[in-house]
Amino acid sequence: MGMRVLDVKAVPERRGSDSDDTSNIDSPKMNPSKPTKETAQASYWYDKAVEGLPAAQYGYSVCLQKGWGIERNQNEAARWCKLAAEQDHCLAMFNLGTFYHHGNGVECDPVRAVFWYMEAAKKGEVRAANNLGVCCEKGMGTEEDHDQAVHWYTQAANKGNAPAQCNLGVCYEDGKGVVHDMHIAMDWYTKAANQKHAEAQLRLARCFRLGRSVEKDLMTAYTWCKLAVDNKHEEAQDELDTILEELEQLTQALADARERLLRRESPPPEREP
């Protein structure tokens, strides 16, 4: 399980105040099939975005990206997002990084993704810091650097970002960028798992099943793994099946031991005179 978790959420803000050039931007195609409230919101963001307000440009970009009250258009979403990012809008910087990272609306460009993640991370955007850590660890758009990966994961993890907490736990488990320490890894997994992070829940389950840095506890392993299954982790069901199989074997072993103990304690049958 070598997964590293990227943050990709985008949530529009409510207001903005700066300006920028919005020439050569296509007019919006509002989606009448969406609820009136969403259509009105998209229209509001567009009206403010053409005035050059970065928060509105970002908000309108998200509407285009998600299809909220307007026809979905990844190319236009990326273009509006870039306008906001170039005006130092932090969330737009992060979101533009994800566009370049995944090639949504723009050509996939890991180097530009790293640039925008870095700009957003410098402004305190914890999701950008986590994604920057992934890029540093995997050598995507930048040189592979486990020390820098740990640096960015730690920044985000200390601020409560669950993917970063899980990713930092993996670093401690694998001993990459830090000294191997399963106790610290378990602490970070637990913090992320308590935020319903499926990968962390699965890793905790495996630690309890195998007895890594903790006493082996199949019931606790089952509890965490079932949560990971409920949270749709694609590998969790296989782990759950393994846990259930071991529980069945343990139950049978206990039953056999109890039967042997009862036979030992039973008094011998009385002899007939």
Side-chain angles (χ1 to χ4, degrees):
M1 293 191 297
M3 180 186 299
R4 296 296 183 275
V5 186
L6 287 166
D7 270 308
V8 294
K9 295 179 181 178
V11 181
E13 295 181 330
R14 291 291 179 183
R15 290 288 184 267
S17 59
D18 297 333
S19 62
D20 193 14
D21 178 23
T22 57
S23 58
N24 299 318
I25 300 296
D26 294 338
S27 299
K29 297 178 181 179
M30 299 303 169
N31 188 348
S33 66
K34 291 290 184 178
T36 303
K37 184 177 180 180
E38 286 189 3
T39 305
Q41 183 75 351
S43 180
Y44 168 81
W45 287 130
Y46 175 76
D47 290 342
K48 296 297 182 181
V50 295
E51 296 175 10
L53 303 179
Q57 291 169 342
Y58 171 69
Y60 183 55
S61 169
V62 174
C63 291
L64 286 163
Q65 183 182 8
K66 302 293 186 181
W68 291 345
I70 191 171
E71 183 178 331
R72 195 171 184 178
N73 188 324
Q74 296 298 315
N75 294 336
E76 283 298 291
R79 182 147 43 144
W80 281 102
C81 189
K82 188 171 185 289
L83 287 172
E86 289 173 343
Q87 295 191 80
D88 294 332
H89 190 281
C90 184
L91 295 179
M93 290 173 173
F94 162 68
N95 211 31
L96 186 58
T98 68
F99 278 119
Y100 281 116
H101 196 130
H102 299 289
N104 291 336
V106 292
E107 185 176 349
C108 182
D109 190 333
V111 174
R112 290 188 179 183
V114 166
F115 172 82
W116 287 112
Y117 287 153
M118 179 71 76
E119 293 301 301
K122 288 177 181 177
K123 290 180 174 291
E125 173 52 59
V126 296
R127 297 169 300 172
N130 173 68
N131 288 9
L132 190 56
V134 173
C135 292
C136 289
E137 183 177 0
K138 299 297 185 182
M140 297 186 296
T142 186
E143 292 184 4
E144 184 176 313
D145 189 330
H146 294 285
D147 292 339
Q148 277 296 301
V150 169
H151 167 77
W152 290 112
Y153 287 151
T154 302
Q155 280 204 7
N158 284 335
K159 293 180 180 179
N161 181 268
Q165 290 171 341
C166 181
N167 289 339
L168 187 56
V170 175
C171 291
Y172 277 101
E173 181 175 357
D174 294 345
K176 292 185 177 180
V178 289
V179 176
H180 169 77
D181 191 321
M182 279 303 302
H183 292 288
I184 296 178
M186 288 282 288
D187 286 343
W188 284 117
Y189 290 154
T190 301
K191 289 177 180 178
N194 285 332
Q195 295 190 68
K196 301 181 180 180
H197 191 278
E199 175 73 9
Q201 291 169 340
L202 180 56
R203 286 180 173 273
L204 272 181
R206 181 163 290 184
C207 287
F208 278 105
R209 178 175 68 83
L210 298 174
R212 291 179 181 170
S213 83
V214 292
E215 185 177 350
K216 182 168 181 174
D217 186 336
L218 290 176
M219 289 307 301
T220 300
Y222 172 85
T223 299
W224 282 117
C225 197
K226 183 63 168 61
L227 289 171
V229 170
D230 293 343
N231 285 325
K232 312 299 182 185
H233 195 295
E234 59 185 15
E235 298 178 17
Q237 187 59 55
D238 288 341
E239 179 69 17
L240 188 63
D241 291 342
T242 300
I243 293 170
L244 289 172
E245 182 179 347
E246 290 192 17
L247 279 170
E248 184 177 354
Q249 292 172 354
L250 178 60
T251 301
Q252 185 60 51
L254 289 173
D256 292 344
R258 182 175 182 275
E259 185 177 346
R260 288 195 299 270
L261 181 62
L262 289 174
R263 283 202 299 265
R264 289 178 184 175
E265 294 179 349
S266 298
E270 295 182 2
R271 294 182 178 181
E272 294 182 3

